[in-house]
Amino acid sequence: MYISIPKCFSACLYTVPSTFLLRRMISSSEVATALRPFYFAVHPDLFGRYPQQRQVNEDSLKLLSAHLESLLSQKRVLPSTPRTLPFYIRASNAPQDRGTFNLVKVPLERTIDTKVVLRRILESCNLSTEYVDKMPATKNSSPNQTTSSNTYEEGFQQQYQQSFYYRKRSEHNFGKDDDDNEDDSPFEKEFDLFQFRIKKVRENETLKKWLRKHVVTATVRTKAVQELQEEVEKLREDVTKRLGLRKIIYDCGWNVEHFRGCLKSLEKLAELHPGALDGLKDRTLVFAAFTGVSLEGHVMLFTGDVQRNWLELIKTIDKHDSYLSKLPAYEYALSQVLRNIRIGRRKFMPKAQAMAYASHLRKITTALLDYLGKSKFPKSWPIDLSQFELVVESEAGPLMVSPTGQLIVPATCPGSLLVDFLSNHLAEALEKQSSYDRHKHIERDLHARCVAQFRLLSLTKDDSVTPDRMIECLEKLLAQEKKDALELADLNLTITTYYSVLTDGTVCIPWDWKQ
């Protein structure tokens, strides 16, 4: 879980007349419940196939966690807290918009009123604030009835100091000027120092120490799912044979239990509608993040869809296949407009629908033809662009050069902007393409050596880990093994950007781990 909320609750004290004390207690469970819709919308696990969006949400959730923890346990806003946090949210749940995201700037109010902070977070994402609005209002209570005289005086003094500190920081644009540090109490300085030390310990944790603490957990979980995996494999073979499929692939990111549920649902669908699934014969079926037909001609079934949606797709596969058959012509047309540039598919990224991809190709080709109707390509361009590779993505896709040297463009990119982008990045694309071609062979060799030397069950990597990073990681692993044995035998290892042990026992380590 990326959100860390303290278990204790905090009592927020406010200045009131001498006969009354205002006390409002908000617990961590209330905060978690209020933000549950928000967490479901931005949780990094939902962006497993989109490394850029996943990383942004992961970093922002860490900062939000620190902010909420400070409000609940310390009743203050950390000087390092930004005023807004960026989060990616899916544009919609429609199958055609699976890879489309909106970037939302979530504000962090400069107040110790947790209720206000929660409401602003939800409102910024157009989420319901009903639960926050129904939180119990602040109640008045007599100090003689609730606390002893000493306790009241002590609490009032603490409240006064905190209110004074907050007013001082607010008057000076909270945390903006270094001179404000002289206003910090010794406790605040010590708390920040404590946080800094914790961060340094985590940063300096070595791979060997981390493995020593978690390898038993990983081993236990791996063995626990082995029996289930054998059952799933048998079920996969039965369903594949029964439906006449070439094979069934699970490309969803969920655990093996979810895969079993998908297979059971498909099996039940075949029982309820005999003959309706004949369109799947001799096809590759993939349980994925959308329902449709991929660019490779695979039948994709979204694991979150109901069986009726699966059935509707299978019955209309011919319609999707017609778009698939037109793709070569669309790609050829775009290639001809852009001086024989190669039209490729993005490496290390999720599958796309044939129907949507055909629309994207038409849009970008039309934009370039409109440009050529008014202008000409720059004279600095080579006469032939066949050594370059262009990838067209969805409307919300990036405009960038990928680590593999591909030129990534969104379908809605105007012709003038696309031409300007190509003019400025052709050299960069060639350099990255050459580097990738050199590195991919080295990576394959190191991959095989690591699997054999560490006796791994499997070795994979996240989409965000480029070949040069993977090479650096694997070379360090092999070098470390010569010095000191690492406990990785009979485990599934994934190279990512973080440490973790997944529910199925898969061990995740960052590519830049410390020795």
Side-chain angles (χ1 to χ4, degrees), residues 15-28:
T15 305
V16 294
S18 57
T19 56
F20 288 95
L21 175 66
L22 288 176
R23 176 180 291 271
R24 172 71 178 96
M25 303 179 70
I26 295 182
S27 69
S28 61

Side-chain angles (χ1 to χ4, degrees), residues 380-397:
S380 59
W381 278 25
I383 298 176
D384 183 68
L385 297 178
S386 59
Q387 58 184 322
F388 301 97
E389 190 172 41
L390 184 77
V391 177
V392 180
E393 294 200 339
S394 65
E395 288 83 350

Side-chain angles (χ1 to χ4, degrees), residues 157-394:
Q157 182 64 24
Q158 180 185 6
Q159 174 273 329
Y160 177 80
Q161 291 172 352
Q162 290 170 344
S163 298
F164 177 76
Y165 167 76
Y166 182 73
R167 288 198 303 273
K168 290 282 289 181
R169 303 294 285 184
S170 298
E171 291 168 2
H172 294 87
N173 293 326
F174 197 93
K176 182 177 180 181
D177 301 321
D178 293 334
D179 295 340
D180 288 345
N181 290 335
E182 63 186 11
D183 295 330
D184 292 351
S185 70
F187 172 78
E188 284 150 358
K189 292 179 179 178
E190 187 147 338
F191 180 75
D192 289 338
L193 181 61
F194 171 75
Q195 283 193 317
F196 174 77
R197 287 174 177 170
I198 292 296
K199 182 180 179 182
K200 295 301 291 183
V201 168
R202 290 175 179 172
E203 288 179 350
N204 295 329
E205 185 167 38
T206 65
L207 175 62
K208 186 171 180 61
K209 287 182 179 178
W210 187 87
L211 286 175
R212 189 180 297 120
K213 290 187 290 186
H214 297 90
V215 71
V216 173
T217 300
T219 302
V220 170
R221 291 181 180 179
T222 300
K223 291 181 178 179
V225 300
Q226 281 181 348
E227 184 176 340
L228 178 59
Q229 287 175 333
E230 292 174 0
E231 177 189 342
V232 169
E233 281 303 313
K234 186 178 183 304
L235 182 58
R236 187 202 321 231
E237 291 177 5
D238 293 342
V239 175
T240 301
K241 185 177 180 180
R242 176 176 179 178
L243 299 179
L245 293 163
R246 289 184 185 177
K247 58 181 176 179
I248 297 177
I249 300 174
Y250 188 64
D251 188 21
C252 165
W254 293 77
N255 57 32
V256 67
E257 292 183 358
H258 194 67
F259 185 22
R260 179 178 60 177
C262 293
L263 291 170
K264 290 283 188 182
S265 295
L266 186 61
E267 188 178 44
K268 184 177 180 181
L269 187 63
E271 293 174 355
L272 294 174
H273 303 276
L277 306 189
D278 290 343
L280 294 178
K281 288 182 179 179
D282 203 30
R283 305 287 292 247
T284 296
L285 185 144
V286 184
F287 290 111
F290 67 87
T291 295
V293 175
S294 73
L295 305 186
E296 296 78 18
H298 298 167
V299 178
M300 318 292 281
L301 299 181
F302 175 42
T303 58
D305 268 348
V306 295
Q307 292 181 1
R308 179 171 54 83
N309 291 347
W310 289 1
L311 190 60
E312 288 178 0
L313 167 70
I314 296 169
K315 289 180 178 179
T316 59
I317 281 182
D318 291 343
K319 180 181 178 182
H320 291 265
D321 285 345
S322 66
Y323 281 95
L324 192 63
S325 64
K326 296 175 183 177
L327 293 183
Y330 288 140
E331 291 180 333
Y332 178 76
L334 178 57
S335 175
Q336 291 300 297
V337 173
L338 270 178
R339 297 184 177 180
N340 297 317
I341 197 169
R342 288 180 287 121
I343 308 301
R345 312 281 168 78
R346 192 172 180 184
K347 300 177 176 68
F348 314 126
M349 290 303 287
K351 307 295 182 182
Q353 288 195 69
M355 189 180 297
Y357 182 58
S359 174
H360 298 157
L361 291 173
R362 290 196 302 267
K363 286 181 181 179
I364 200 73
T365 303
T366 302
L368 284 170
L369 290 174
D370 289 343
Y371 172 84
L372 290 176
K374 303 175 183 178
S375 307
K376 295 182 179 180
F377 289 140
K379 294 181 179 179
S380 59
W381 278 25
I383 298 176
D384 183 68
L385 297 178
S386 59
Q387 58 184 322
F388 301 97
E389 190 172 41
L390 184 77
V391 177
V392 180
E393 294 200 339
S394 65

